[in-house]
Amino acid sequence: MDRNQLESRAAMSQENGQHQPDPPRRFRDFLVLTLGAVAVLTLLYLTGAIGLVEWITGAIVMSTGSLAFFVGSAPNRRKGPTPTVLQPADPAPVVEAETAIEPFLLALPLPALLVTPEGQVTTANTHARNLFRIDVASRPFPIAMLRQPDLLAAADRVSRDGADERIEFTQHSESEVWMAHIRPGLEVGSAIMVFEDLTAVRRAERARADFLANASHELRTPLTAIGGFIETMRGPAKDDKEAWDGFLDIMAQQTERMKRLVADLLSLSRIEFSEHRAPKTQVEMVDLARKTSLALTPIAEDAGIKLFFNGPKSSVSAIADSDEIAQVIQNLASNAIKYARKGGEVQILIGESATMAEAAAACSRQSPEAKRAVLLQPYASTEVPAVWVRVTDDGEGISEQHLPRLGERFYRVDESRGGKIEGTGLGLAIVKHIMARHRGGFAVESVEEVGTAFGIWMPRLRHDPSAETV
Ligand code: ADP
């Protein structure tokens, strides 16, 4: 609202006598009060209740009291600050409210605008300017410049009705706009608009919905297979006991698959639940990797794969969750065993580096001709000392287009290879979440027909100098 309008509205309200004191009415009240008191005194005098002296004294006291009240209650005699209760058409406080709000609006960490009822944006903070890509030096500018008719209409409603509103709109991303009148109760006034980006919320909602759909799909497949075999064994193959062995084998396999899937889903949800709580215990990483590797030896032997472990003699400690780190190594190594060539070999290597950046190179940038992808950027600073683990195999490798998607839940490359190898598609997603909890990184490099290497790295503890001199 501009100054002229405010002034004219103030003048109008004065004419209507809404909030300026009315002098003739005050004078009339004064006269009625004084004459009333004198009349009462006269009545008392006439009935003999009081004498002439009392009548005169009473009349003087009453009229002096009324006069003192009349003069003392005059509006221009009022001392102290202006009353805080403002009337709707009081122009100055509205302008003051806008001026007072401006610093808050500019300091808000969300895009925010102040819009007049005439649709002029008087204040737009930097976030709002960036959101709408506006570069207007002069103020105010018309809200129509934002090219959002819904916003325009809503701002108009809020300015006029004084009621809060929330609307959703899409500019470059999905946002929600919260709008409020700067002085609720005023008929017409400026409106504040604060924009909240909903992209992350919407993405999380979609991811959750996709996850549920994928998980139920993955469970439905083995269940349908088992159901189908039961039907066959009850119906057409009822008396074919020889065929039953084959059916029971497949049913046992499908049951195993469901058990693995449920176990992986449970670990994933447990890890997600604790992802924001940093681990607290000190873990000796080389020892842990050696033991995990040893536990996998029988599985490798069964698959006809040679499993090698290599790590430093000295201890490398980190603040970690030992079960989770063991699960990372186990997931990567069991994948390597699964995907290595027949009679091939898998290596589990562990080492330490002076910085996270060096560790990333040591575990995931070793082969010049490899295609690679970083599946998780570490949250920790690149300069802190780090420990890394690299798991390599000599399998078919993974083609370049699949690399960035590894670590997504249920993403399986071998589905395109004809689904020859069993898996849930959750192993690498689990690794990714565990490494996120450890503020570490996760990367892959692969050469088709030569092999694949997965690397993880995370902050380690500095060596105790006194221990090194011993
Ligand atoms: P899965 O249970 O299917 O192995 P993962 O999440 O562990 O699930 O792996 C996802 C996909 O990544 C696998 O289906 C496979 O296609 C591919 N993959 C993982 N590790 C390797 C590897 N060492 N060599 C080749 N492909 C791999």
Side-chain angles (χ1 to χ4, degrees):
M1 190 183 309
D2 64 27
R3 189 108 215 168
N4 290 343
Q5 267 187 307
L6 291 170
E7 276 162 9
S8 64
R9 288 186 61 198
M12 261 169 58
S13 64
Q14 277 183 18
E15 276 166 28
N16 296 341
Q18 274 176 2
H19 64 286
Q20 280 296 319
D22 184 355
R25 209 169 65 194
R26 277 168 41 74
F27 186 63
R28 190 191 59 205
D29 293 347
F30 166 70
L31 274 183
V32 168
L33 192 65
T34 313
L35 291 178
V38 170
V40 171
L41 285 172
T42 309
L43 203 67
L44 291 173
Y45 173 68
L46 289 178
T47 56
I50 55 169
L52 186 62
V53 179
E54 284 90 351
W55 187 91
I56 294 171
T57 317
I60 292 172
V61 169
M62 295 299 249
S63 49
T64 316
S66 305
L67 188 68
F69 179 74
F70 177 72
V71 174
S73 64
N76 54 354
R77 295 289 305 267
R78 207 175 263 163
K79 296 222 163 49
T82 337
T84 48
V85 180
L86 298 168
Q87 297 298 321
D90 200 336
V94 175
V95 175
E96 273 166 22
E98 287 184 349
T99 323
I101 278 168
E102 192 173 295
F104 293 105
L105 215 129
L106 292 173
L108 268 181
L110 297 170
L113 303 172
L114 187 63
V115 189
T116 68
E118 291 71 40
Q120 295 292 314
V121 178
T122 49
T123 311
N125 66 9
T126 330
H127 304 288
R129 286 166 186 273
N130 292 344
L131 174 68
F132 292 105
R133 307 199 175 147
I134 37 176
D135 184 20
V136 186
S138 63
R139 291 195 296 174
F141 63 85
I143 191 173
M145 259 184 69
L146 307 181
R147 298 183 196 288
Q148 288 286 342
D150 289 353
L151 271 190
L152 200 88
D156 190 55
R157 281 196 301 276
V158 172
S159 302
R160 279 166 216 292
D161 305 349
D164 292 359
E165 263 200 49
R166 267 174 192 276
I167 61 163
E168 287 200 9
F169 92 116
T170 308
Q171 174 77 359
H172 306 293
S173 54
E174 280 176 71
S175 297
E176 189 176 51
V177 195
W178 168 82
M179 289 183 234
H181 201 282
I182 57 166
R183 287 199 47 79
L186 282 182
E187 281 168 12
V188 178
S190 295
I192 308 172
M193 289 188 185
V194 181
F195 299 79
E196 192 185 347
D197 192 345
L198 298 180
T199 319
V201 179
R202 294 284 180 265
R203 196 183 299 140
E205 283 169 1
R206 271 194 293 271
R208 198 156 291 277
D210 286 354
F211 175 69
L212 270 178
N214 283 330
S216 29
H217 171 79
E218 293 289 326
L219 281 169
R220 203 182 306 125
T221 315
L223 273 175
T224 314
I226 294 171
F229 284 117
I230 293 173
E231 285 292 299
T232 317
M233 289 163 81
R234 278 182 173 161
K238 202 170 170 187
D239 303 314
D240 187 357
K241 301 289 177 206
E242 277 173 25
W244 277 33
D245 282 348
F247 294 154
L248 287 171
D249 274 354
I250 302 172
M251 285 164 74
Q253 268 174 25
Q254 295 298 335
T255 314
E256 271 308 305
R257 179 172 152 71
M258 281 198 295
K259 268 165 67 182
R260 274 202 309 272
L261 195 66
V262 170
D264 279 357
L265 283 170
L266 283 175
S267 343
L268 197 60
S269 88
R270 203 180 45 241
I271 294 155
E272 272 191 322
F273 183 71
S274 65
E275 198 169 322
H276 303 290
R277 270 180 284 134
K280 288 196 174 67
T281 46
Q282 183 167 336
V283 175
E284 211 298 283
M285 297 286 285
V286 182
D287 198 36
L288 178 74
R290 186 181 293 112
K291 284 183 182 148
T292 314
S293 150
L294 219 59
L296 286 164
T297 314
I299 301 170
E301 273 170 7
D302 283 354
I305 305 288
K306 286 191 242 27
L307 180 65
F308 297 99
F309 171 81
N310 202 348
K313 298 250 176 312
S314 59
S315 87
V316 180
S317 299
I319 299 299
D321 181 315
S322 58
D323 288 346
E324 289 189 355
I325 297 297
Q327 188 169 9
V328 164
I329 299 171
Q330 191 183 316
N331 285 10
L332 296 179
S334 49
N335 272 353
I337 293 168
K338 261 194 316 197
Y339 298 103
R341 68 184 68 238
K342 262 198 171 356
E345 62 174 56
V346 166
Q347 296 195 23
I348 300 175
L349 311 170
I350 180 166
E352 58 179 326
S353 299
T355 64
M356 288 283 282
E358 282 175 27
C363 68
S364 65
R365 291 203 295 277
Q366 289 299 308
S367 167
E369 70 274 28
K371 302 286 182 237
R372 52 179 63 90
V374 176
L375 307 175
L376 174 72
Q377 281 290 358
Y379 183 65
S381 145
T382 50
E383 295 309 314
V384 296
V387 52
W388 53 263
V389 177
R390 177 177 165 90
V391 179
T392 67
D393 65 64
D394 54 3
E396 284 180 32
I398 306 169
S399 57
E400 193 178 359
Q401 81 265 23
H402 294 296
L403 293 178
R405 297 201 56 193
L406 297 175
E408 282 178 25
R409 292 161 180 180
F410 300 110
Y411 188 77
R412 304 197 65 220
V413 177
D414 44 295
E415 232 135 46
S416 54
R417 296 174 190 158
K420 287 174 290 186
I421 301 171
E422 281 284 309
T424 59
L426 291 172
L428 296 181
I430 291 173
V431 171
K432 192 167 157 179
H433 280 280
I434 294 178
M435 291 320 296
R437 185 177 175 216
H438 287 77
R439 299 165 72 222
F442 179 32
V444 56
E445 64 177 338
S446 187
V447 183
E448 280 192 81
E449 304 304 329
V450 175
T452 304
F454 282 91
I456 55 131
W457 65 104
M458 58 184 265
R460 68 167 163 87
L461 295 176
R462 283 173 207 283
H463 292 296
D464 179 0
S466 58
E468 273 168 15
T469 54
V470 175

